[in-house]
Amino acid sequence: MNEATAALGIEAISVYVPRHYLDLRDLAEVNGVDPRKYNDGLGCLRMAIPSPYEDPVTMGWEAAAALLENYRVDREGIGLLAVGTESGVDAAKPVAAYLHGLLDLSRSCRTFDTKHACYSATAALRHALGWCSLPANRGRQALVVATDIARYPVGSPGEPTQGAGAVAMLVSDRPHCLQLEPYPEAVYAEQVMDFWRPNYSAEAMVDGRVSVDSYLRALEYTWRQYAGNSGLGLDDYDHLLFHAPFAKMVHKAYRRVCQLQAGAGTEPGAAQFERHCLPAVWACQELGNLYSGSLYVLLAALLERLQERASGARLGLFSYGSGCCAEFFSARVGPRAVHWRGKIGLEAGLLRRQRLDYQTYLDFRAAATAFNRDGSYWQAVAGWGNGQPVSFLGIRSHQRVYATATRQPAQALEYSARARVVK
Ligand code: CAA
């Protein structure tokens, strides 16, 4: 084991939970579906809905700003900002560039986005770990942000698995939250059309069955590879975190690894699933799919729910990005919950949020589409001060306009009195 890589990982983690949600029983009623299909068949209870004044930039800012504040991070120490997202707001300009400005990070900072569907944050995390391991960067920190809005067409099979949110992670050689184990990589790639979003579409396209099969194929491959590389088996893990597009997918994934371990006919018992997966999977039931943040919100959920009981636990983590690229890796939770207790923000965010009715959910979607067109700034600006510390105010001359509570664009205030909200 290489000492240089042994002490690297996640120093701090913070989650942004959107302020609104839709109860899936309400969606089932409108879609004419038995609610048990959504709640039990897919394992989804509620899905996070961003307001029209939110986008992946504002959500990423919320997670990252909370992290910087709650963990008292010195901005000057951050030399890399990598954003994993598949709902980026511009084909050329990265979300990282907007975040760098809104967060007031140092000029001496490398900024970029990574893209490979839901694998993108893992790609960013891997890059950050490599960067931190360089002797020249010792003692410096990297900020990795996963931020996405999962949106499928209204009435489609994917709709009940939607979600939104962001996770920010500080990566360094002080891995208080999670220290990665330095076994050889277990990765898988295959060109597959299971889930994609053409540049002209705000909604993802998916071949559901193909995507589930592809996910399980990648899991099987990487699980076998990692077991061979590390010698670790199912019983060596205290908990398993699987990319969670919907909670039932975690059951399918767990069943598959149990079968790989103990034979094709194996059915995991409820108690076994409860021990290995339940402390984390509840977050997916509450938020829906966070795409790039999906795996890491499970990590946050586990730390928040177990607190001291998570200390020292060995985790197995499976990251899957459609298209596809996947990876299985293992890590140890840090020894002292004092480092993350009260600082993650997941349960606090869930307590604060409000339930939307179905019509308002549709209105939010329509407004988000309208605000993402050039010239929307005049309409969107009326929402300024919507209770958010940072807002997306629409597009003016093909440029996105953002404002934080401390940095309000003069125009936003000037025009707000006569602007009109578009629904
Ligand atoms: N009561 C209880 N359960 C019911 C039920 C009822 N009345 N009616 C149906 N069910 C069960 C079904 O038996 C099924 O369970 P199993 O999977 O255990 O067989 C489950 O509910 C779902 O039913 P369907 O298979 O009929 O559902 P569907 O075809 O309408 O949609 C889906 C399922 C294809 C996953 C769809 O939600 C989808 O397209 N989702 C988006 C794609 C996705 O998430 N893919 C996952 C892998 S890809 C990935 O991970 C990347 C990513 O983030 C997108």
Side-chain angles (χ1 to χ4, degrees), residues 33-43 86 117-118 150 152 156-162 194-195 204-216 243-246 248-249 252 255 289-292 294 318 320-323:
V33 170
D34 180 346
R36 284 171 299 185
K37 173 175 177 180
Y38 291 171
N39 291 167
D40 304 331
L42 294 173
E86 65 182 271
C118 308
Y152 297 95
S156 71
E159 188 185 28
T161 70
Q162 293 175 141
D194 62 332
F195 165 101
M205 299 177 184
V206 63
D207 188 330
R209 295 284 134 222
V210 172
S211 73
V212 170
D213 289 348
S214 175
Y215 176 117
L216 292 175
H243 167 62
F246 53 94
K248 197 66 181 293
M249 192 69 226
K252 292 181 194 290
R255 188 164 168 250
N289 194 352
L290 263 65
Y291 285 166
S292 60
S294 163
F318 175 65
Y320 175 79
S322 291

